[in-house]
């Protein structure tokens, strides 16, 4: 499968893709219970280094002495010196990442993988369907879409979260909503009586969204059960499989197509994904682990 956007590990020049570079945490912000956004910089002789990435790509982050995990870029691709990652503490390495603070060192390899098809979205309505932490890998795509607003049709963000307290990037969502450049619907699984928005799963927002299915493209990211239902709802709304893209997560080690940890048939999730056109990986969603 040919990569659609940046070549593998773009932006690293001739550096060895297996060799972590040392970066430092500059800022850290809590976005939800157990979820932290880390702002890091790669140090190069006291200067922050430029880092080029495509929305949807990921880095391998190392907490020294603990381990290495894949984490998507969640920041603005136009801000090449600020590397932003949003991490949920689920186990040893991700919890150690969220425990880091300003000044702490971190290992970084990347960027890796194939991201969202930004070029294919030009001239079309773009539906972004995100569940929970799935908004993080989609945020760079949103920054790019909004920075180049005139190139796209409608931009529609449909976001589902467990509760109002779990909504990521809340202030940013509000400011995007005020800008009127994007239609935004947020729903939560459950909420107290002071919540004025939708209650229910994110897939219930799809039939209500107003877009032209023949000229639309959808980017989907979230828990796999959410993605399965979102894809079914998008198809029902008239999108074909060639217009639906999703980001999949699988166990990874090397991130460069060598170790086979993420292999599914002829596909390596680290190298050919994590973003795939739906029809190319239909069987993959049914498999919990490769
Ligand atoms: C391409 C890619 C991009 C990713 N982007 C992000 C991101 O932006 N932010 C983020 O927080 N996480 C992201 N992840 C998931 C992250 O890599 C895992 O949560 C992490 O590897 C878990 O490692 P651990 O040592 O903390 O936990 P482990 O001890 O390995 O696992 C702890 C628990 O988490 C579960 N778990 C492990 N890996 C995953 C996974 N991939 N998805 C869901 N549950 C998992 C395990 O089954 C186990 O129950 C991404 C994964 C991939 C493959
Ligand atoms: S993680 Fe090694 S081949 Fe994909």
């Amino acid at each position: 499968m040919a990569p659609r956007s940046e070549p593998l590990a773009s932006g690293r020049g001739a550096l060895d893709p297996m060799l972590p570079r040392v970066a430092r945490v500059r800022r850290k912000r809590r976005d939800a219970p157990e979820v932290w956004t880390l702002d890091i910089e790669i140090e190069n002789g006291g200067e922050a280094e430029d880092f080029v990435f495509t929305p949807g790509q990921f880095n391998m982050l190392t907490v020294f002495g603990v381990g290495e995990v894949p984490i998507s870029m969640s920041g603005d691709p136009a801000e090449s010196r600020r590397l932003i990652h949003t991490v949920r503490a689920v186990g040893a390495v991700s919890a150690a990442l969220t425990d880091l603070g300003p000044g702490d060192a971190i290992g970084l390899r990347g960027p890796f993988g194939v991201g969202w098809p930004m070029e294919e979205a030009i001239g079309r309505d773009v539906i972004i369907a995100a569940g929970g932490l799935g908004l993080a890998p989609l945020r760079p795509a949103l920054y790019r879409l909004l920075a180049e607003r005139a190139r796209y049709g409608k931009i529609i963000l449909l976001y589902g979260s467990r509760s109002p307290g779990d909504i990521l990037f809340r202030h940013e969502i509000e400011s995007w909503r005020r800008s009127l450049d994007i239609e935004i619907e947020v729903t939560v699984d459950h909420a107290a009586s002071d919540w004025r928005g939708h209650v229910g799963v994110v897939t219930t927002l799809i039939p209500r969204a107003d877009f032209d299915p023949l000229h639309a493209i959808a980017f989907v990211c979230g828990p796999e059960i959410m993605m399965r239902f979102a894809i079914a709802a998008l198809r029902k709304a008239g999108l074909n499989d060639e217009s639906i893209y999703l980001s999949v997560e699988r166990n990874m080690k090397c991130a460069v197509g060598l170790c086979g940890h993420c292999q599914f048939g002829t596909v390596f999730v680290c190298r050919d994904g994590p973003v795939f056109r739906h029809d190319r990986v239909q069987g993959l969603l049914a498999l919990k682990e490769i």
Side-chain angles (χ1 to χ4, degrees), residues 58 69-72 86-88 90-95 133 136-137 248-252 274:
F58 67 95
V69 286
I71 301 291
S72 303
T86 301
V87 185
R88 170 171 285 139
V90 296
V93 186
S94 52
L133 195 62
V248 295
E249 286 187 7
R250 285 298 182 271
N251 281 345
M252 287 183 187

Side-chain angles (χ1 to χ4, degrees), residues 210-234:
D210 181 22
F211 56 84
D212 175 1
L214 298 179
H215 300 102
I217 187 166
F219 300 174
V220 183
C221 189
E224 294 209 354
I225 179 88
M226 169 265 166
M227 292 203 286
R228 283 209 289 272
F229 280 101
I231 288 163
L234 287 163

Side-chain angles (χ1 to χ4, degrees), residues 251-262 268 270:
N251 281 345
M252 287 183 187
K253 290 285 177 219
C254 71
V256 290
L258 290 177
C259 73
H261 254 80
C262 68
F268 290 81
C270 65

Side-chain angles (χ1 to χ4, degrees), residues 114-194:
V114 175
W116 301 106
M118 304 308 299
E119 293 293 316
E120 285 179 47
I122 292 170
R124 301 165 77 174
D125 290 350
V126 187
I127 301 129
I128 306 274
L133 195 62
L135 186 57
L138 282 164
R139 190 167 68 155
L142 281 159
Y143 285 127
R144 176 71 62 78
L145 291 167
L146 293 171
E148 301 175 357
R149 182 66 192 89
R151 304 179 86 186
Y152 304 97
K154 287 184 179 176
I155 301 174
I156 301 174
L157 169 62
L158 307 175
Y159 178 42
S161 173
R162 271 185 297 205
S163 73
D166 290 298
I167 294 172
L168 295 185
F169 317 133
R170 208 182 174 118
H171 297 297
E172 210 157 22
I173 289 175
E174 285 312 319
S175 80
W176 286 335
R177 208 197 288 271
R178 282 194 299 274
S179 77
L180 304 179
D181 280 335
I182 173 169
E183 294 166 34
I184 301 182
E185 297 294 343
V186 177
T187 186
V188 296
D189 295 344
H190 51 83
S193 55
D194 58 348

